Amino acid sequence: QVQLVESGGGLVQDGGSLRLSCTASSGIFYSMAWYRQAPGKQREMVATMTSDGNADYADSVKGRFTVSRDYAKKSVYLQMNSLKSEDTAVYYCFAKTIVSMKEYWGQGTQVTVSS
């Protein structure tokens, strides 16, 4: 069973930065991504990167967030700059395997931006 372990969340002031990390226990992934869910809202995709290096971002984070992967470490990262209060949410790591296209989720990490 693949496990995704996230780290890097926390409390930051408006305009600050945080870097989230997620490492998988095993597996080879076609895509790894970050989603977030704010209180009372649906979970939404924040950033995703496929195995060929293509990245996609939610419009709300373009120019502020950067997703990257370390394939050897089975890890995905999210560098978040110029954070705003509306970025406050639980951030979840997501991964989809290459062969079976099975999907996995991390347990989530809280990001709180204070204004």
Side-chain angles (χ1 to χ4, degrees), residues 20-47:
L20 304 183
S21 300
C22 171
T23 299
S25 58
S26 62
I28 301 173
F29 303 104
Y30 169 68
S31 64
M32 297 187 81
W34 290 96
Y35 284 70
R36 68 185 181 188
Q37 187 167 18
K41 294 187 176 181
Q42 289 190 328
R43 191 173 297 189
E44 63 174 354
M45 189 275 289
V46 176

Side-chain angles (χ1 to χ4, degrees), residues 2-111:
V2 174
Q3 292 186 329
L4 302 177
V5 179
E6 301 129 332
S7 62
L11 174 64
V12 64
Q13 288 189 332
D14 192 33
S17 298
L18 281 175
R19 185 175 186 251
L20 304 183
S21 300
C22 171
T23 299
S25 58
S26 62
I28 301 173
F29 303 104
Y30 169 68
S31 64
M32 297 187 81
W34 290 96
Y35 284 70
R36 68 185 181 188
Q37 187 167 18
K41 294 187 176 181
Q42 289 190 328
R43 191 173 297 189
E44 63 174 354
M45 189 275 289
V46 176
T48 185
M49 179 169 276
T50 58
S51 55
D52 56 2
N54 288 323
D56 191 24
Y57 297 91
D59 288 342
S60 59
V61 307
K62 283 180 181 176
R64 300 188 298 122
F65 291 11
T66 303
V67 63
S68 60
R69 290 178 64 174
D70 185 325
Y71 298 94
K73 294 182 178 180
K74 302 184 189 297
S75 295
V76 62
Y77 308 96
L78 186 67
Q79 178 65 44
M80 305 185 292
N81 298 328
S82 302
L83 283 161
K84 307 174 182 179
S85 56
E86 51 262 44
D87 294 318
T88 295
V90 177
Y91 283 70
Y92 296 91
C93 179
F94 169 86
K96 179 183 289 187
T97 59
I98 282 183
V99 176
S100 62
M101 291 294 180
K102 291 186 70 173
E103 300 178 350
Y104 299 93
W105 292 91
Q107 80 285 356
T109 185
Q110 177 70 46
V111 171

